[in-house]
Every structure is written in structure tokens, then in C-alpha cells.
Amino acid sequence: MNPISRRKLLATGLAATAGAAGLATAARLAQRYGLIPPDHGGLFGAGETLTYACQRALTLHRPLHEFPRGMISRQPFMNEIGPLPDKFKASQAVNFSDWRLTVDGLVDPPLSLSIADLRALATRNQITEVACEEGWSYIAEWIGTPLSLVLREAGPKPGARFVVYRSIQSDWWDSLDLAEALYPGTLVTWGMNDGDLPVGFGGPLRLRVPRQLGYKSVKFLTHITVTDSMKHFGKGVGSSGAEFGYSWYGGM
Ligand SMILES: Nc1nc2c(c(=O)[nH]1)N[C@H]1C(S)=C(S)[C@@H](COP(=O)(O)O)O[C@H]1N2
Ligand SMILES: [Mo]
């Protein structure tokens, strides 16, 4: 059987099982296939597992949804951001020349990359939509370096399963499974619509996760950690958003 029909069968099977025998059985099946999200333990845990397992099985290799240049939003919606720490302002004062992206955890070697290092590594662009769970969205061109190539420089070690990413705003952090992290459309972005990435949109550095909801695209990116488990990060549910009750997997 080819991989696509196997995945479809798995997803259909999971959905049917959930209907016929309940979410707990579907969750056991998902476990067997390694499709358990870090936030599976809460009130909506079985539902989260089912959504994640079905979507993941069906969409792992789904192509990026890109838009024509003429559809770029003239007035992209900049969401409100909390206060930025003094160290952000200090870096802004030197035009972010001292900004570093640290890559550590299950990697060899760990890295500390400037924005110039990232630009030199590779440049890709995509015209994609940012959609907030609150209902609004916009389309923009995003320019950056594929996370997959950053990870290739760092060399993930065996056992790597998740990539945790953090903002200079310490209350904003999130994680991706390795498949989403290595997906070529997942970009460490430093440019937007032909210019530098503006601060309001997360400049100087933002992780763009174009197949998931806007909250997964964390602004002011400073730190990436490769890990085998999310257990020891915060409350163990995979992201600051999931600790607030948002779904860790924000597929759209
Ligand atoms: N560091 C940081 N990243 C963040 C946020 C934030 O407040 N701080 N807001 C998130 C939310 S909820 C959304 S919907 C998008 C909004 O992106 P935009 O300002 O480009 O519209 O950024 C996400 N990334
Ligand atoms: Mo959002």
C-alpha cells in the first residue's frame, strides 16, 4: 500500500473507532502510531489526540497553501503584543546586530547564530496567511531561512522528537513535532513584504509555522531546543498557549 492510502486508512480508522468504541480506544490507537500530542492529558485530552492524530496522518506532506502576490494584504493586522523587556530595547538600539538565535538540547554542535548568519545560510520566501484563533487573518510575504536547514547545521541527535522555541518575551514559548519542524515551509523569518521584519510583526526574528494557527508563529525568537520529550518544559503540555487551554496542535 502506498504511504498516502496507509495514512488515510489510519485516519479514517481512528475517526471510525472514535465513533464506534469511544475516544479512549482511538487514543490507544494513536499511541501505537506515535501520534500523541503533549497536551493529551487534560479535559479535552482524548479529543486533542484524535484531532492531532487524524490531521497529522492526513496532512504530513500537504503542500503549502501559497497565494498570488496580488493578494498580499495592504493593511496586515498587527496583533497587540505585551511589553518588551529592556534587553530587547538594548538590541534594537544597535539595529539587532547583537541578536542571537541559540540552538541547543539534543544537537551536536549547539549553535549561536546572528541574523547575518541566518541570511547567509539560505533565503526562502512564501506568500501565506496568518490566521488568529479569534477570527481575523491576513496574507503577507515572509522571507527567512528554513528551520530544517538550521537544524541540519546543528545536527539533531537520535531520540529527537520535538523542537521547543522561545521568545524574548518569556511568557511566549511553543513546540513542534519533528515532522513540522523539518517541513520546508517552516521558516525562521527576518523579512516581510520585501523589507526587514517590523517589530510589531515579531522582528527581528519570528518562527513562521504556516500550516498552523497564528499563535504558533512566535515573535522575537531567541532560543531553539531539540528534545525527546516535552515533560520538563513548563507544565509539560507543550506550549505557553496549551497551559492557557489552547490546543497545542493548531492545524488549519
Ligand atoms: N512573542 C509573541 N508571539 C506571538 C504573540 C505575542 O503576543 N507574543 N501573539 C500570537 C498570536 S495569538 C497571534 S494570532 C499572532 C499574531 O501575529 P500578527 O501580529 O502578525 O498578526 O502572533 C502570535 N505570536
Ligand atoms: Mo492569536
Side-chain angles (χ1 to χ4, degrees), residues 3-12 35 51-63 211 249:
I4 294 199
S5 58
R6 254 198 85 225
R7 271 196 303 279
K8 269 205 178 125
L9 195 71
L10 169 58
T12 324
L35 291 168
T51 310
Y52 172 62
C54 284
Q55 281 224 14
R56 233 49 207 108
L58 282 171
T59 64
L60 211 50
H61 302 286
R62 185 178 47 145
R211 303 190 302 179
Y249 179 65

Short mmCIF file of all heavy atoms in Angstrom, two decimals, residues 3-12 35 51-63 211 249:
data_model
loop_
_atom_site.label_atom_id
_atom_site.label_comp_id
_atom_site.label_asym_id
_atom_site.label_seq_id
_atom_site.Cartn_x
_atom_site.Cartn_y
_atom_site.Cartn_z
N PRO A 3 2.11 5.13 0.88
CA PRO A 3 2.05 5.80 2.19
C PRO A 3 0.78 6.64 2.35
O PRO A 3 0.23 6.74 3.44
CB PRO A 3 3.29 6.69 2.22
CG PRO A 3 4.11 6.32 1.05
CD PRO A 3 3.31 5.46 0.13
N ILE A 4 0.30 7.25 1.27
CA ILE A 4 -0.87 8.13 1.41
C ILE A 4 -2.10 7.31 1.76
O ILE A 4 -2.82 7.64 2.69
CB ILE A 4 -1.12 8.94 0.13
CG1 ILE A 4 0.06 9.90 -0.04
CG2 ILE A 4 -2.44 9.70 0.20
CD1 ILE A 4 -0.14 11.06 -0.91
N SER A 5 -2.32 6.20 1.05
CA SER A 5 -3.52 5.45 1.38
C SER A 5 -3.40 4.81 2.76
O SER A 5 -4.39 4.64 3.45
CB SER A 5 -3.85 4.44 0.29
OG SER A 5 -2.78 3.57 0.09
N ARG A 6 -2.16 4.49 3.16
CA ARG A 6 -1.99 3.98 4.54
C ARG A 6 -2.38 5.03 5.55
O ARG A 6 -3.06 4.75 6.52
CB ARG A 6 -0.53 3.56 4.77
CG ARG A 6 -0.36 2.05 4.77
CD ARG A 6 0.94 1.64 5.43
NE ARG A 6 0.82 1.54 6.86
CZ ARG A 6 1.70 2.02 7.71
NH1 ARG A 6 2.75 2.67 7.28
NH2 ARG A 6 1.54 1.84 8.99
N ARG A 7 -1.94 6.27 5.31
CA ARG A 7 -2.26 7.35 6.25
C ARG A 7 -3.75 7.60 6.28
O ARG A 7 -4.34 7.81 7.32
CB ARG A 7 -1.53 8.64 5.87
CG ARG A 7 -0.17 8.75 6.51
CD ARG A 7 0.33 10.17 6.44
NE ARG A 7 0.39 10.67 5.10
CZ ARG A 7 1.38 10.43 4.25
NH1 ARG A 7 2.39 9.69 4.62
NH2 ARG A 7 1.36 10.94 3.05
N LYS A 8 -4.38 7.58 5.09
CA LYS A 8 -5.83 7.82 5.02
C LYS A 8 -6.56 6.75 5.80
O LYS A 8 -7.49 7.04 6.55
CB LYS A 8 -6.30 7.79 3.56
CG LYS A 8 -6.27 9.16 2.94
CD LYS A 8 -7.25 9.27 1.78
CE LYS A 8 -7.23 10.66 1.21
NZ LYS A 8 -6.95 10.68 -0.21
N LEU A 9 -6.11 5.53 5.61
CA LEU A 9 -6.75 4.41 6.28
C LEU A 9 -6.62 4.57 7.80
O LEU A 9 -7.58 4.38 8.54
CB LEU A 9 -6.05 3.12 5.84
CG LEU A 9 -6.80 1.84 6.16
CD1 LEU A 9 -8.04 1.73 5.27
CD2 LEU A 9 -5.90 0.64 5.94
N LEU A 10 -5.43 4.97 8.23
CA LEU A 10 -5.20 5.17 9.65
C LEU A 10 -6.14 6.25 10.19
O LEU A 10 -6.81 6.06 11.20
CB LEU A 10 -3.73 5.56 9.88
CG LEU A 10 -3.35 6.08 11.27
CD1 LEU A 10 -3.67 5.06 12.35
CD2 LEU A 10 -1.87 6.42 11.31
N ALA A 11 -6.24 7.39 9.47
CA ALA A 11 -7.08 8.49 9.94
C ALA A 11 -8.55 8.09 9.94
O ALA A 11 -9.28 8.34 10.90
CB ALA A 11 -6.87 9.72 9.07
N THR A 12 -8.99 7.46 8.86
CA THR A 12 -10.39 7.02 8.79
C THR A 12 -10.67 6.02 9.89
O THR A 12 -11.70 6.07 10.56
CB THR A 12 -10.69 6.36 7.42
OG1 THR A 12 -9.95 7.05 6.43
CG2 THR A 12 -12.15 6.43 7.08
N LEU A 35 1.37 9.11 17.72
CA LEU A 35 0.67 10.36 17.39
C LEU A 35 -0.02 10.95 18.62
O LEU A 35 -1.20 11.23 18.62
CB LEU A 35 -0.36 10.09 16.28
CG LEU A 35 0.22 9.76 14.91
CD1 LEU A 35 -0.84 9.24 13.97
CD2 LEU A 35 0.89 10.97 14.29
N THR A 51 -7.89 14.73 17.08
CA THR A 51 -7.72 15.78 16.07
C THR A 51 -6.29 15.74 15.52
O THR A 51 -6.06 15.74 14.32
CB THR A 51 -7.94 17.17 16.69
OG1 THR A 51 -9.16 17.14 17.39
CG2 THR A 51 -7.97 18.25 15.63
N TYR A 52 -5.34 15.68 16.44
CA TYR A 52 -3.93 15.71 16.06
C TYR A 52 -3.59 14.48 15.23
O TYR A 52 -2.99 14.58 14.15
CB TYR A 52 -3.08 15.77 17.32
CG TYR A 52 -1.59 15.62 17.08
CD1 TYR A 52 -0.89 16.54 16.31
CD2 TYR A 52 -0.89 14.57 17.65
CE1 TYR A 52 0.47 16.41 16.11
CE2 TYR A 52 0.48 14.43 17.47
CZ TYR A 52 1.15 15.35 16.70
OH TYR A 52 2.50 15.22 16.51
N ALA A 53 -3.99 13.30 15.71
CA ALA A 53 -3.62 12.06 15.02
C ALA A 53 -4.22 12.02 13.61
O ALA A 53 -3.55 11.68 12.65
CB ALA A 53 -4.07 10.86 15.83
N CYS A 54 -5.49 12.40 13.48
CA CYS A 54 -6.14 12.38 12.16
C CYS A 54 -5.49 13.39 11.23
O CYS A 54 -5.12 13.06 10.10
CB CYS A 54 -7.63 12.72 12.28
SG CYS A 54 -8.59 11.35 12.91
N GLN A 55 -5.34 14.65 11.71
CA GLN A 55 -4.78 15.68 10.85
C GLN A 55 -3.36 15.33 10.45
O GLN A 55 -2.96 15.49 9.31
CB GLN A 55 -4.79 17.02 11.58
CG GLN A 55 -6.15 17.68 11.55
CD GLN A 55 -6.05 19.16 11.23
OE1 GLN A 55 -5.02 19.66 10.79
NE2 GLN A 55 -7.14 19.86 11.45
N ARG A 56 -2.57 14.88 11.42
CA ARG A 56 -1.17 14.56 11.17
C ARG A 56 -1.07 13.46 10.12
O ARG A 56 -0.26 13.53 9.21
CB ARG A 56 -0.55 14.08 12.47
CG ARG A 56 0.68 14.77 12.89
CD ARG A 56 0.57 16.26 12.87
NE ARG A 56 1.91 16.82 12.67
CZ ARG A 56 2.28 17.39 11.54
NH1 ARG A 56 1.46 17.50 10.54
NH2 ARG A 56 3.49 17.89 11.43
N ALA A 57 -1.91 12.42 10.28
CA ALA A 57 -1.86 11.30 9.35
C ALA A 57 -2.21 11.76 7.94
O ALA A 57 -1.64 11.30 6.96
CB ALA A 57 -2.81 10.21 9.83
N LEU A 58 -3.15 12.70 7.84
CA LEU A 58 -3.59 13.13 6.51
C LEU A 58 -2.73 14.23 5.91
O LEU A 58 -2.64 14.35 4.70
CB LEU A 58 -5.04 13.63 6.59
CG LEU A 58 -6.10 12.55 6.66
CD1 LEU A 58 -7.46 13.17 6.96
CD2 LEU A 58 -6.16 11.78 5.35
N THR A 59 -2.13 15.08 6.74
CA THR A 59 -1.57 16.32 6.21
C THR A 59 -0.06 16.44 6.32
O THR A 59 0.50 17.47 5.98
CB THR A 59 -2.17 17.55 6.94
OG1 THR A 59 -1.78 17.48 8.31
CG2 THR A 59 -3.67 17.60 6.82
N LEU A 60 0.60 15.39 6.77
CA LEU A 60 2.04 15.46 6.99
C LEU A 60 2.77 16.04 5.77
O LEU A 60 3.66 16.85 5.89
CB LEU A 60 2.56 14.06 7.31
CG LEU A 60 3.76 13.95 8.22
CD1 LEU A 60 3.56 14.78 9.47
CD2 LEU A 60 3.99 12.50 8.59
N HIS A 61 2.38 15.63 4.59
CA HIS A 61 3.08 16.06 3.38
C HIS A 61 2.24 17.00 2.53
O HIS A 61 2.49 17.18 1.35
CB HIS A 61 3.53 14.84 2.58
CG HIS A 61 4.40 13.94 3.37
ND1 HIS A 61 5.71 14.24 3.66
CD2 HIS A 61 4.15 12.77 4.01
CE1 HIS A 61 6.23 13.29 4.42
NE2 HIS A 61 5.30 12.39 4.65
N ARG A 62 1.20 17.59 3.15
CA ARG A 62 0.34 18.50 2.40
C ARG A 62 1.16 19.70 1.91
O ARG A 62 1.93 20.28 2.67
CB ARG A 62 -0.79 18.98 3.31
CG ARG A 62 -1.82 19.83 2.62
CD ARG A 62 -2.89 20.21 3.60
NE ARG A 62 -2.27 20.69 4.83
CZ ARG A 62 -2.78 21.65 5.58
NH1 ARG A 62 -3.91 22.21 5.25
NH2 ARG A 62 -2.18 22.03 6.68
N PRO A 63 0.98 20.10 0.63
CA PRO A 63 1.76 21.24 0.15
C PRO A 63 1.33 22.53 0.84
O PRO A 63 0.21 22.65 1.34
CB PRO A 63 1.45 21.29 -1.35
CG PRO A 63 0.21 20.50 -1.53
CD PRO A 63 0.13 19.52 -0.41
N ARG A 211 1.34 26.22 8.43
CA ARG A 211 0.20 25.30 8.37
C ARG A 211 -0.57 25.25 9.69
O ARG A 211 -1.46 24.42 9.85
CB ARG A 211 0.67 23.89 7.98
CG ARG A 211 1.42 23.90 6.63
CD ARG A 211 1.66 22.50 6.13
NE ARG A 211 2.44 21.70 7.07
CZ ARG A 211 2.77 20.43 6.86
NH1 ARG A 211 2.38 19.83 5.75
NH2 ARG A 211 3.47 19.77 7.75
N TYR A 249 -1.63 21.52 19.12
CA TYR A 249 -1.60 21.38 17.66
C TYR A 249 -2.64 22.33 17.08
O TYR A 249 -3.85 22.15 17.33
CB TYR A 249 -1.89 19.93 17.25
CG TYR A 249 -1.89 19.74 15.75
CD1 TYR A 249 -0.71 19.92 15.03
CD2 TYR A 249 -3.04 19.43 15.07
CE1 TYR A 249 -0.70 19.79 13.65
CE2 TYR A 249 -3.03 19.29 13.68
CZ TYR A 249 -1.86 19.47 12.99
OH TYR A 249 -1.85 19.34 11.63
#
